[in-house]
Amino acid sequence: MEDTAATLATELDGLLAMARELEARVDGDQGAPGAARELCAELAASVDRAMRLAGEGNATGRASVSGRKAAAGKVRRQVRVASVTDAGPLNDGLSWRKYGQKDILGAPYPRAYFRCTHRHTQGCQATKQVQRAAADPLLFDVIYHGAHTCAQAAAQQQSPAGFEQEQESPPAAVPEGIQWPVTPPSFPSPPAGTVGDCYPSVCELAGGYGYAAGGGLGADMGFGGQLDEWFLNLSDAFQPEVQNL
DNA sequence: AGCATTTGACCTTA
DNA sequence: TAAGGTCAAATGCT
């Protein structure tokens, strides 16, 4: 089954990204024990090896993108995020305005459509779709289309520590998510500079960043909790039949 | 008053 | 023709 290999590769890709992110965070955390840093490096290396193995069963080494948009060669960047709280703003550091919501055939949850708040004022063409994963109510699949060309995105891109910034100073007006029991958490934004036709069609899974009102990663959840989210994603990779990708 | 969200209708695509 | 994506009027919130 090619889809299984593709899903596995995709999940591993996301795991690697998360491992590197955690590694970077641990490196910047003076209080983190050396063993934790070594573990992070080992985790990243292990996932990388697993990705190579998974890639052998998949010509591209990455999951291909399905759907009309992908077939048309449009920009598409998919991110899976995990929510660990029942309340919290959907915050990726950028301003989104919801313009639609649709029930998707076969999906238990509706899909919400967002576009950049500055679409009309600055001509920013970025849009995103947010849909709760069928397999796990705490996971959200976020698909970005187009590139942010607004001033806000440019300012965020210039910041050397984007993750930290977005967690320390969330925008005053945050677009609320879909009307589900659980609100999507914060998550890293895709590159603001990605340009439509130049950006390859990729399916990337990035980490679940626990959002807590009092702060960023670790406010409510330690490494153990973060890893729980990781392995929640990992377990999904071995259940492709419940994946909504 | 201005802005965001909701939601039914319309458009596009396979 | 069905399903997904977008529009735009109505409504709510600050």
Side-chain angles (χ1 to χ4, degrees):
Chain A
M1 294 293 267
E2 205 168 322
D3 285 349
T4 302
T7 302
L8 176 60
T10 301
E11 293 290 346
L12 289 172
D13 193 12
L15 276 173
L16 179 60
M18 287 186 281
R20 286 174 176 159
E21 167 64 15
L22 178 61
E23 191 176 359
R25 286 171 180 269
V26 169
D27 280 345
D29 182 0
Q30 305 302 327
R37 303 184 190 191
E38 287 182 21
L39 191 59
C40 288
E42 227 172 280
L43 176 61
S46 179
V47 172
D48 191 34
R49 285 193 296 272
M51 282 179 64
R52 295 175 194 277
L53 290 174
E56 289 175 4
N58 181 7
T60 64
R62 281 186 181 269
S64 59
V65 179
S66 61
R68 265 181 284 178
K69 294 281 186 176
K74 297 287 185 73
V75 183
R76 180 180 154 131
R77 180 183 176 91
Q78 181 164 341
V79 176
R80 168 161 292 182
V81 300
S83 172
V84 295
T85 62
D86 281 351
L90 173 59
N91 168 31
D92 58 5
L94 296 168
S95 297
W96 297 97
R97 176 170 176 166
K98 187 176 181 179
Y99 66 87
Q101 178 169 315
K102 283 280 283 193
D103 287 325
I104 302 302
L105 192 70
Y109 305 102
R111 176 179 299 168
Y113 300 87
F114 296 86
R115 63 182 164 219
C116 182
T117 302
H118 311 295
R119 184 186 186 91
H120 298 301
T121 58
Q122 298 178 31
C124 185
Q125 295 298 309
T127 64
K128 73 173 179 180
Q129 302 172 2
V130 180
Q131 183 169 17
R132 184 187 292 272
D136 193 311
L138 294 180
L139 293 179
F140 295 84
D141 290 320
V142 183
I143 302 172
Y144 292 89
H145 294 282
H148 264 289
T149 57
C150 58
Q152 184 183 13
Q156 188 185 54
Q157 191 180 19
Q158 285 174 359
S159 170
F163 291 160
E164 301 301 327
Q165 186 192 37
E166 75 180 32
Q167 287 171 356
E168 288 173 5
S169 53
V174 176
E176 193 48 59
I178 310 171
Q179 284 192 328
W180 294 317
V182 178
T183 305
S186 62
F187 45 83
S189 302
T194 52
V195 177
D197 296 331
C198 299
Y199 197 79
S201 293
V202 299
C203 179
E204 176 172 327
L205 294 168
Y209 294 90
Y211 183 92
L217 178 67
D220 267 358
M221 186 169 83
F223 284 139
Q226 180 72 52
L227 287 172
D228 282 347
E229 293 294 336
W230 290 12
F231 288 105
L232 193 64
N233 286 342
L234 181 62
S235 66
D236 283 350
F238 294 96
Q239 299 173 16
E241 70 278 5
V242 296
Q243 285 283 315
N244 188 29
L245 294 175

